Every structure is written in C-alpha cells, then in structure tokens.
Amino acid sequence: MPTVLLARHGETTWNRDGRLQGWAPTPLTDRGHEQARALAAAVAAEYDVDRVVASDLRRARQTASYLADHVGRDPTFESAWRERDFGRYQGLPHETVFEDHERLSLARAGRDAVDARPESGESLRDVRERVLSGWERVLAESSDDETVAIVAHGGPLYLLLGAVDDRDIVSAVVEGEQHNCALNELQVENGASRVVAENRTDFLDEAPA
C-alpha cells in the first residue's frame, strides 16, 4: 500500500510575526532552514522515499529542496498544494483580518465563513477542492509499494487530514495543528486512507513553532 508523508514548510519571518502569507514569496528564516534540514534527515533515516512533491511557493520549495537532496529525488512542484490565497489581506496580521472581517472568521461566523472569499482570494471550500484534487492525483500516480513525500502549508494540511478523517471544514481548521516542519504519515489501502502519525516534531531540536 502507498505511504504518503505530509510536511509543513519551515519557519518564515511572517510565521514569526503572525502575518497572513497566502501566496507571498516569503523565504525561510535561519531557524526555518534548520527545521528543514532536521525534517530531511529524519525522513531519509526512517523512509525510502520514491517521490517528492511540493507546493510551488518559495517557502515550500526551499523546505522540499533539503528533503529532495537527502533522499536523492528530484522534487515536483505543484500549485495544487499552495496555501490559501488571502488576496488583498495578504501580509496583514492574522488578528487584524479575522477581528475586522467577521465573515472570514470560523470562530465567529462558523459555517458561513467556509464559503467567504477575501477580495481577490479563495474561500476555504475553494482551497479544499484544490488540495483534494492534488491528493487524488498523487494517489492515482502512486504504485502500491511507493512512498511519496509532500511539502505543503498549514491550511492545506488541516483540510486534507480533516477530509481523511471525515471531518467537516470548520472542525478540520479550528482543531487542526501543524507546527513548522511537522511530519504526518498516511497509509492508503484499497482507496481508503488512514492517519498513522500526525504533527510529529520529535526530530526537531527545539520547541515547535
């Protein structure tokens, strides 16, 4: 059965400052590079990776490059694994956006926020459909004994893991937790996926971020 490893990118300055990154080309911090190296070493030590897939945004590409080097595979970059596009709110503090725009806040607007789109951005439902399309493509292209590593972002990982666990979008995002460079393992058998490990950070030599 295929094994799929899911990881979030390393820390960026906007992570540290609590700003919405969306599709911005934010780079990793020094700490983010250290996290990415630790993730790559842990994956290479524990798994025989056949393919590396990643979001094509800068922070994910940088993280995936360490992983690809460690496992000896050329990465493939796909827009399906991008973070949510926050449109005109990109770069603003999280708290400012969700306090000033109640319709976007799951905590305040609940289910209505699932379909709310930031101006020139994406709704959570849009992102979920995009990510699940990428997920189905990965599974369709995977052989039974293959191990695929995917480097993405917090939002897509919340939504995908929620879908695997048959949770709705609200609970998947509100209850989701993915630290920078956290590792998740999924096993896929007869078209059904199950989470074996979630939000692993034991290989990082620091408190998770």
Side-chain angles (χ1 to χ4, degrees):
M1 58 185 159
T3 297
V4 182
L5 307 174
L6 304 170
R8 188 184 174 201
H9 61 80
E11 181 196 70
T12 70
T13 53
W14 285 18
N15 283 150
R16 192 176 58 204
D17 297 341
R19 298 167 67 188
L20 291 173
Q21 294 185 95
W23 291 3
T26 50
L28 300 183
T29 60
D30 289 344
R31 183 186 187 193
H33 284 286
E34 292 175 2
Q35 292 168 331
R37 284 191 285 267
L39 169 67
V43 170
E46 297 180 33
Y47 302 93
D48 184 11
V49 175
D50 299 288
R51 283 196 294 144
V52 177
V53 179
S55 157
D56 61 353
L57 296 177
R58 184 178 182 183
R59 55 197 184 273
R61 294 176 70 101
Q62 289 182 314
T63 303
S65 68
Y66 289 104
L67 180 56
D69 286 346
H70 271 71
V71 302
R73 304 291 181 183
D74 292 329
T76 299
F77 301 107
E78 298 182 4
S79 60
W81 296 100
R82 288 183 176 191
E83 182 57 278
R84 181 182 182 181
D85 181 2
F86 279 97
R88 65 186 297 266
Y89 302 126
Q90 180 174 288
L92 296 178
H94 287 258
E95 293 182 1
T96 298
V97 172
F98 294 115
E99 286 180 4
D100 292 351
H101 305 279
E102 181 175 336
R103 67 187 183 87
L104 298 174
S105 172
L106 289 172
R108 299 165 67 191
R111 293 177 184 274
D112 290 342
V114 168
D115 293 301
R117 289 189 179 92
E119 186 177 332
S120 72
E122 295 177 294
S123 71
L124 284 168
R125 194 179 305 279
D126 293 334
V127 181
R128 184 178 185 273
E129 290 176 359
R130 167 166 58 77
V131 171
L132 290 182
S133 176
W135 173 245
E136 292 300 327
R137 186 162 55 252
V138 165
L139 296 187
E141 296 172 352
S142 300
S143 59
D144 288 344
D145 60 351
E146 194 170 18
T147 298
V148 183
I150 301 172
V151 179
H153 308 263
L157 296 181
Y158 300 153
L159 294 166
L160 176 55
L161 291 169
V164 168
D165 286 338
D166 198 27
R167 288 183 286 144
D168 63 29
I169 293 176
V170 175
S171 63
V173 176
V174 171
E175 299 170 10
E177 186 175 34
Q178 291 290 316
H179 298 301
N180 288 121
C181 279
L183 181 64
N184 308 269
E185 178 183 342
L186 279 68
Q187 298 285 347
V188 184
E189 188 171 12
N190 297 324
S193 306
R194 66 185 181 91
V195 179
V196 177
E198 187 169 354
N199 197 32
R200 272 189 58 196
T201 58
D202 55 281
F203 49 84
L204 298 176
D205 296 329
E206 56 177 40

